[in-house]
Amino acid sequence: MDLFLVMVGFITGFATYMFFFAKKNSDEDDSISSSEANTGQKDIKPLLINTLNEMNCEPEIDDEDKNRVHFNYQGQHFSINIDDNSEFITIWYPFWYEIELDDLDEVSRVSKAINYTNQRGIITMCYVINNETNRLYTHSQATIPFNDYIPDLKHYLGQYLQWFFQARKYFEDTKMDIMKNELERK
């Protein structure tokens, strides 16, 4: 399964790169006078909002940061950061796991499981320590291309969101394996 995820990630990345490379070369051959086409910049927020609506995610633009969109997918909270000067978005799956900082063994397992998981897939995990609450929180993120050149954006975005769940499952399985190994050594 791990090799499958790595292969799918590689193929997706390679295909995306080749698509943009081919599109860039074809754009250079055409003489387009629109300033939007000449800068290569597009407003992808409406495209993202429409795609999320098609997925029944009910997107909401953040009140404080207009370049952040919040939504729920399969009962979990996600947010997406949009850069006005880029055709890439950053998807965040925040606060999906938390533990007390006093549980040093579990903190160690979490950091190891995150490191192993980050080596195996396209979703990046991190943890944040909040000393005020005395808790450790985990987050996941991925930065991906997102524009109207990509066919079937609903399926494309949905597949990436599914990979967040797969990465979380891999993290949980890895953390359990680490715990089993610790128990076997005792």
Side-chain angles (χ1 to χ4, degrees), residues 49-177:
I49 298 294
N50 288 339
T51 302
L52 289 169
N53 280 326
E54 288 176 13
M55 297 170 66
N56 297 319
C57 291
E58 300 179 16
E60 296 178 11
I61 297 174
D62 190 289
D63 292 333
E64 295 176 15
D65 182 354
K66 300 300 181 194
N67 288 328
R68 180 174 296 136
V69 177
H70 299 279
F71 63 97
N72 287 329
Y73 180 77
Q74 294 186 358
Q76 299 295 308
H77 177 76
F78 287 85
S79 66
I80 295 179
N81 292 351
I82 303 164
D83 182 351
D84 290 334
N85 298 319
S86 175
E87 291 185 357
F88 287 82
I89 59 174
T90 301
I91 307 169
W92 284 95
Y93 180 21
F95 298 102
W96 52 264
Y97 187 80
E98 65 180 85
I99 57 171
E100 291 285 332
L101 287 175
D102 297 335
D103 188 348
L104 297 179
D105 291 335
E106 187 67 5
V107 168
S108 175
R109 284 183 212 109
V110 166
S111 67
K112 288 176 186 175
I114 284 175
N115 288 339
Y116 291 138
T117 305
N118 284 342
Q119 295 172 15
R120 300 278 187 228
I122 58 176
I123 305 300
T124 303
M125 295 182 177
C126 65
Y127 63 87
V128 175
I129 293 175
N130 185 327
N131 290 320
E132 292 177 12
T133 62
N134 198 43
R135 300 192 71 75
L136 176 146
Y137 302 95
T138 60
H139 310 289
S140 300
Q141 72 90 25
T143 300
I144 64 170
F146 193 86
N147 57 53
D148 57 359
Y149 303 130
I150 299 170
D152 197 0
L153 282 171
K154 179 180 167 183
H155 176 75
Y156 171 77
L157 184 56
Q159 184 59 56
Y160 268 99
L161 293 172
Q162 288 300 316
W163 285 337
F164 278 90
F165 296 130
Q166 290 173 356
R168 181 177 176 176
K169 173 83 169 93
Y170 185 84
F171 162 86
E172 291 167 352
D173 291 346
T174 301
K175 191 169 70 64
M176 290 303 294
D177 289 343

